[in-house]
Amino acid sequence: MSDDRHPLFKPLVFVGGLIFGFGLGFSHMARPEVVLNFLQFDDLGLPFVMFGAAIVSGIAFALLPRIRDAAPLTGDPYERRLKPFDRNVLVGGAVFGVGWGLSGICPGAAYASLGVGNVTILWALGGMFVGAYAQGYWRSRNQARDAAAAGAD
């Protein structure tokens, strides 16, 4: 992070994380059995929580650039950052989905799950860290190979 950020940036990010975790715990979305019941179409509470969050975020993303030119704490301008839809997105989404289905939890909710006393979620968190490390290693290796091939041309 750059040093020119507002002094309240890190504390507000921390408070935002606490509110997010509290919301997941309060709505019971930090419990793997709730997520697994959703994936088996037994409990459809999770899509209502997700759609509610999407609506609030959509309104914020639509209105804030009209009200302000830049983010209040960072000073960064509001702009769309389009990412390519490529093989990395497809593979990453598939791995994320399989991990979500096997563990019954996504990364954000896994930390909140620790806060509600689910210590067995440490296995899933360990798997997430191993997967993230493996992906970073694989990607850096491919980038080094691509750079070497470009230099040989």
Side-chain angles (χ1 to χ4, degrees), residues 102-143:
L102 289 174
S103 67
I105 207 84
C106 72
Y111 292 110
S113 185
L114 276 175
V116 295
N118 183 3
V119 292
T120 58
I121 203 68
L122 288 172
W123 288 105
L125 283 169
M128 289 177 210
F129 283 112
V130 168
Y133 179 81
Q135 190 273 344
Y137 176 78
W138 175 77
R139 194 161 203 182
S140 65
R141 203 172 122 208
N142 283 346
Q143 287 176 345

Side-chain angles (χ1 to χ4, degrees), residues 22-148:
F22 178 78
L24 286 173
F26 184 75
S27 65
H28 300 288
M29 297 303 136
R31 294 176 41 209
E33 54 273 4
V34 171
V35 176
L36 292 173
N37 284 339
F38 157 69
L39 293 174
Q40 296 170 358
F41 301 108
D42 291 334
D43 180 7
L44 297 179
L46 180 60
F48 287 111
V49 172
M50 291 166 59
F51 290 139
I55 289 169
V56 171
S57 298
I59 291 170
F61 278 107
L63 291 180
L64 281 176
R66 297 171 195 250
I67 296 170
R68 297 183 56 101
D69 292 335
L73 293 180
T74 63
D76 296 335
Y78 292 117
E79 59 188 5
R80 293 187 70 181
R81 293 177 288 173
L82 299 176
K83 303 285 184 174
F85 187 76
D86 58 4
R87 181 179 50 130
N88 290 331
V89 173
L90 289 173
V91 171
V95 170
F96 179 84
V98 168
W100 194 39
L102 289 174
S103 67
I105 207 84
C106 72
Y111 292 110
S113 185
L114 276 175
V116 295
N118 183 3
V119 292
T120 58
I121 203 68
L122 288 172
W123 288 105
L125 283 169
M128 289 177 210
F129 283 112
V130 168
Y133 179 81
Q135 190 273 344
Y137 176 78
W138 175 77
R139 194 161 203 182
S140 65
R141 203 172 122 208
N142 283 346
Q143 287 176 345
R145 186 185 71 227
D146 291 345

